[in-house]
Amino acid sequence: MAATTEGAVKAFCEGLGFGVPFFREGPREGQAPPFGVVQQENLAVSPSGNGDYGDPDAEIQVVETITVDLIQPAREKTTVRVAKNAERYGLAEVYAAALNGCTLPASPSPVTAVRVQDIDRFPVEKNRIRESITVLVHRTLRRSEVVPQ
């Protein structure tokens, strides 16, 4: 079991077996592409399904926004004057399709829905392509996240 929802997304993506390593918050020094980075962006209370706010034992449903960035090489040199495309076309779409509707079995709290919101593609920079998948995870807020130990 993962300690966080981002960890569960990381474990899920790595478990797909596409040979892409994933990291939380950033890659290790000198990591060669392709690789993925999983980060939490936002945690918001869901507007529905939260019961009576006066009940201290009511389950609170939240929507956690997580980004999954895929970094790939754009081109690789074949000869002194020629370079070929090194990008694995459709890689972001494959991950997005797998994430959309999954259950995140390694999640530390019950997940009710996982929805992919969009995929953004950024311009090539330093011979790297970055595609960012925005994932909305609907889940129960754990008491340990808000109550000090």
Side-chain angles (χ1 to χ4, degrees):
M1 176 157 314
T4 62
T5 309
E6 308 95 279
V9 170
K10 174 186 177 301
F12 180 82
C13 289
E14 287 180 331
L16 293 173
F18 295 123
V20 177
F22 282 83
F23 304 92
R24 286 190 52 223
E25 306 301 328
R28 62 179 156 248
E29 190 69 33
Q31 177 67 42
F35 61 85
V37 177
V38 180
Q39 298 181 63
Q40 178 191 36
E41 298 298 325
N42 187 31
L43 184 68
V45 175
S46 177
S48 63
N50 286 315
D52 181 5
Y53 281 106
D55 181 2
D57 295 325
E59 284 190 349
I60 305 295
Q61 298 297 315
V62 295
V63 179
E64 189 168 355
T65 305
I66 295 175
T67 57
V68 178
D69 290 338
L70 287 171
I71 312 298
Q72 300 186 62
R75 293 168 202 84
E76 59 186 31
K77 220 176 213 187
T78 55
T79 65
V80 175
R81 295 184 183 192
V82 178
K84 68 175 186 170
N85 285 340
E87 176 184 2
R88 291 168 60 181
Y89 293 109
L91 187 62
E93 289 82 357
V94 169
Y95 279 104
L99 282 163
N100 194 55
C102 75
T103 58
L104 294 179
S107 179
S109 61
V111 171
T112 56
V114 177
R115 297 286 174 250
V116 171
Q117 181 176 329
D118 58 27
I119 302 172
D120 294 320
R121 184 178 171 99
F122 296 90
V124 175
E125 185 179 312
K126 297 181 182 177
N127 197 34
R128 288 188 173 183
I129 295 170
R130 176 177 161 228
E131 293 174 292
S132 185
I133 305 167
T134 305
V135 181
L136 303 176
V137 178
H138 298 254
R139 65 175 182 83
T140 304
L141 185 67
R142 296 183 316 274
R143 193 163 295 288
S144 62
E145 291 178 275
V146 294
V147 177
Q149 299 291 332

